[in-house]
Amino acid sequence: MKKTMSAAAAGLLLIAGNTASAEPQIPAAYVAIGDSLAAGQTPNRSIDSGYSDLIAQELTRNQPLAFYSKDLAFPGFTTGDVLESIESDEAKELLGQANIITVSAGANDLLRLVQANAAEGALSFEEIQADYALNAARENVETILSELEELAPSADIYVMGYYFAYPHARDSQKQGTAGQLEQLNDILKQEAEQAGATFVDVADRFGEDAVELVPNSGDVHPNVDGYQEMANAFFEQYGEGFEVEDAELPEPAPVTFEEIQQMQEQEEPSGEADEEEADSEDVSSDDSATKPSEGKDLDYLAIRQALPLI
């Protein structure tokens, strides 16, 4: 049974600082920032309804929603990319209006170091490199949360944890990588608590064998059922009575990266489109994992990561 807000409550705007709050924000003004999980990347290299979309949908069903945006969510973003993205003038204006912010950042700092062989179910990584990556992620997340406190003074901040991304690997191969992801979650939880934000634990909802939620052995992204689990983990922290039920899941409507690029090119003035096309030709033969922040603009045209990345 969903919680029904009273008419009096619906007329109030609850202003709170960046602390864990049991009171829903009314009306909600929700911004999702971070990597491809915040953007809603599917296991088949497209963008569809992710956990942030399901959160916004459920908020709408239960209370007024002033606005929702995932314009600051980009596949492949590391913590450094997320930090850079929130410092733009456009981002500052958007974040300044938010009273709910979810943050997905950290997995790409680590997973880009993992060598995954889907055919053999094997995983490997260099522990020293992983340790450096986790330390850098810690520093960047601390800065991200500090800046969000200034950029979004009325927002409750929720730091999203991560699930084990390789359920198809052999059991004997899982322990090391699972341990690194556990360390990442510990870092995210610690930094969230120190910043007065709320950590959203999703790992227990997936476990290490959730092939039904992460169905593509060659890709680390969840399906809509996995995103449902993430959204409901958020609502465990947000407010009693909120839950994305099975019957409420939207019909699939994936948009491929190529379609996104085509749509953006149609919206650009001809001169800019020609320039982007020339840039695209320059990198078309390069399959290396390039940071989105190294592209000209922070938009989906900058997606050039080699999968699997979150």
Side-chain angles (χ1 to χ4, degrees):
M1 181 73 66
K2 297 185 179 301
K3 181 167 67 175
T4 303
M5 300 292 179
S6 68
L12 296 175
L13 176 62
L14 302 180
I15 303 297
N18 290 345
T19 58
S21 172
E23 294 294 336
Q25 293 277 22
I26 305 173
Y30 172 35
V31 175
I33 69 174
D35 52 35
S36 61
L37 296 185
Q41 184 166 334
T42 74
N44 301 308
R45 194 171 170 78
S46 60
I47 299 296
D48 204 345
S49 295
Y51 76 77
S52 60
D53 302 286
L54 297 180
I55 288 173
Q57 174 184 278
E58 183 67 12
L59 290 173
T60 302
R61 286 194 172 99
N62 288 273
Q63 64 177 84
L65 178 65
F67 74 87
Y68 155 63
S69 173
K70 62 176 183 181
D71 288 347
L72 299 178
F74 303 94
F77 262 23
T78 64
T79 55
D81 296 318
V82 173
L83 178 58
E84 183 175 344
S85 74
I86 66 175
E87 293 174 339
S88 69
D89 291 339
E90 181 181 1
K92 290 177 181 178
E93 181 178 356
L94 182 63
L95 294 169
Q97 303 173 60
N99 57 24
I100 300 171
I101 297 174
T102 55
V103 183
S104 283
N108 286 323
D109 298 62
L110 182 63
L111 295 191
R112 64 179 56 236
L113 304 177
V114 176
Q115 301 297 317
N117 187 322
E120 298 181 1
L123 301 171
S124 63
F125 63 92
E126 293 291 336
E127 188 167 354
I128 293 178
Q129 291 181 335
D131 289 342
Y132 276 111
L134 288 171
N135 187 58
R138 181 195 303 274
E139 294 175 354
N140 286 334
V141 169
E142 180 182 7
T143 306
I144 289 168
L145 296 179
S146 176
E147 293 207 10
L148 287 177
E149 186 175 4
E150 296 183 7
L151 295 172
S154 299
D156 292 333
I157 311 297
Y158 296 83
V159 178
M160 303 296 293
Y162 288 95
Y163 54 87
F164 181 66
Y166 304 99
H168 298 269
R170 300 197 311 270
D171 289 343
S172 61
Q173 295 287 300
K174 293 178 179 179
Q175 184 175 1
T177 305
Q180 293 294 324
L181 284 166
E182 185 176 347
Q183 288 187 50
L184 173 60
N185 281 327
D186 288 343
I187 288 171
L188 296 175
K189 181 178 181 181
Q190 181 180 39
E191 294 303 324
E193 291 175 348
Q194 290 179 353
T198 300
F199 176 71
V200 178
D201 186 359
V202 305
D204 289 344
R205 286 175 169 264
F206 282 73
E208 295 185 6
D209 304 304
V211 295
E212 73 282 2
L213 301 179
V214 187
N216 187 345
S217 62
D219 190 279
V220 297
H221 297 90
N223 55 21
V224 69
D225 295 324
Y227 282 124
Q228 178 188 18
E229 293 290 348
M230 295 183 71
N232 284 334
F234 165 85
F235 284 119
E236 284 184 351
Q237 303 294 328
Y238 178 75
E240 182 180 355
F242 292 77
E243 182 180 6
V244 180
E245 299 174 358
D246 292 347
E248 297 169 342
L249 294 178
E251 292 294 323
V255 182
T256 66
F257 293 160
E258 291 74 19
E259 290 171 334
I260 292 171
Q261 182 171 343
Q262 291 173 1
M263 287 187 290
Q264 290 179 333
E265 289 175 344
Q266 291 173 358
E267 294 173 357
E268 291 175 348
S270 58
E272 292 184 13
D274 293 342
E275 184 176 347
E276 284 289 355
E277 184 176 351
D279 291 342
S280 178
E281 291 176 356
D282 292 340
V283 300
S284 61
S285 60
D286 183 8
D287 294 329
S288 60
T290 304
K291 289 184 179 180
S293 56
E294 293 173 359
K296 178 182 176 183
D297 297 310
L298 291 176
D299 58 26
Y300 285 116
L301 292 180
I303 299 170
R304 295 172 186 148
Q305 286 71 30
L307 292 179
L309 288 177
I310 282 180

